[in-house]
Amino acid sequence: DAGITQSPRHKVTETGTPVTLRCHQTENHRYMYWYRQDPGHGLRLIHYSYGVKDTDKGEVSDGYSVSRSKTEDFLLTLESATSSQTSVYFCAISGDRVTDSPLHFGNGTRLTVT
Amino acid sequence: GIQVEQSPPDLILQEGANSTLRCNFSDSVNNLQWFHQNPWGQLINLFYIPSGTKQNGRLSATTVATERYSLLYISSSQTTDSGVYFCAVAGTGTASKLTFGTGTRLQVTL
């Protein structure tokens, strides 16, 4: 199994509060990704990183920010959580661009915004 | 953006049966990957298969990029094969992003 740890695994928070999800990898992979999974929408890319301090937006980036200060850690922040951000969030890693290497997922974080 | 369609959306099999899952995509791709999400929610990479055929035990996959489809074959299915199967593609010009299909939900019964 790829060494990917997401924390927390479950979180319940109130509307309007900030939330940070953490992804930690031990594979020294260059690329890291945050996806959200919702019924009827499948997996959608929020943000990704191609190196320390190098990030870019995915298809559903509004309301989210990310940071990567170390190769092994990729943080996803919801500045002011809304009910529409209730979802399961997956972190993923790849050694190179996904055209050249497989993608591996963490076990997910289930976030509920009340 | 590129569209990814999977069929069938749902499939119920008896243990021991074989099945074929299909993934169609709307444009040229640089890569295609297959994933299995088990009933506990874990996503496992099954195949990294931009073209050609690969086999891994009872599972095999074939991608025909020129005709814009990929097939996942499951032989002698087991209850542990249950879950959702996703294909995902990287369109040309989107080297760092995968677009996922909505999946095929497979249930294998005794």
Side-chain angles (χ1 to χ4, degrees):
Chain A
D1 290 343
I4 309 167
T5 304
Q6 291 187 232
S7 59
R9 292 297 315 278
H10 302 271
K11 185 168 183 68
V12 179
T13 192
E14 293 184 350
T15 298
T17 60
V19 176
T20 295
L21 308 183
R22 180 179 183 241
C23 178
H24 178 79
Q25 58 131 338
T26 58
E27 306 295 320
N28 199 35
H29 279 1
R30 178 182 173 194
Y31 284 77
M32 298 185 76
Y33 309 80
W34 279 106
Y35 284 86
R36 61 178 288 175
Q37 185 175 32
D38 305 288
H41 291 279
L43 284 145
R44 294 179 292 174
L45 181 65
I46 305 171
H47 282 281
Y48 70 99
S49 169
Y50 48 96
V52 173
K53 297 191 188 241
D54 292 323
T55 64
D56 203 353
K57 296 179 179 180
E59 60 182 305
V60 290
S61 58
D62 287 349
Y64 302 95
S65 62
V66 290
S67 66
R68 191 166 178 202
S69 59
K70 298 185 290 184
T71 298
E72 58 266 34
D73 289 327
F74 192 32
L75 303 181
L76 177 71
T77 298
L78 291 64
E79 301 290 347
S80 178
T82 68
S83 58
S84 64
Q85 294 176 311
T86 291
S87 186
V88 180
Y89 291 86
F90 286 96
C91 174
I93 65 173
S94 63
D96 206 329
R97 302 174 307 170
V98 290
T99 49
D100 303 315
S101 62
L103 189 68
H104 297 284
F105 283 89
N107 288 333
T109 293
R110 183 174 295 277
L111 176 67
T112 302
V113 184
T114 61
Chain B
I2 194 167
Q3 304 299 310
V4 183
E5 293 184 357
Q6 292 186 241
S7 59
D10 296 281
L11 186 59
I12 300 175
L13 297 175
Q14 217 165 15
E15 195 172 46
N18 302 327
S19 63
T20 301
L21 282 58
R22 188 176 180 100
C23 173
N24 292 332
F25 39 95
S26 61
D27 206 344
S28 300
V29 298
N30 288 328
N31 194 3
L32 186 142
Q33 302 189 32
W34 282 97
F35 298 86
H36 174 222
Q37 186 168 36
N38 65 26
W40 297 271
Q42 294 176 311
L43 279 155
I44 306 299
N45 191 301
L46 298 175
F47 292 103
Y48 163 82
I49 185 166
S51 63
T53 297
K54 290 187 177 181
Q55 180 146 12
N56 183 2
R58 297 180 294 101
L59 274 60
S60 64
T62 295
T63 296
V64 184
T66 53
E67 297 187 20
R68 300 181 183 173
Y69 73 90
S70 182
L71 302 174
L72 178 68
Y73 305 95
I74 304 174
S75 64
S76 303
S77 59
Q78 300 176 358
T79 55
T80 52
D81 296 329
S82 296
V84 183
Y85 291 82
F86 294 99
C87 72
V89 302
T92 55
T94 59
S96 299
K97 304 175 187 179
L98 283 178
T99 298
F100 282 77
T102 52
T104 291
R105 183 175 299 276
L106 173 65
Q107 182 180 353
V108 181
T109 62
L110 292 173

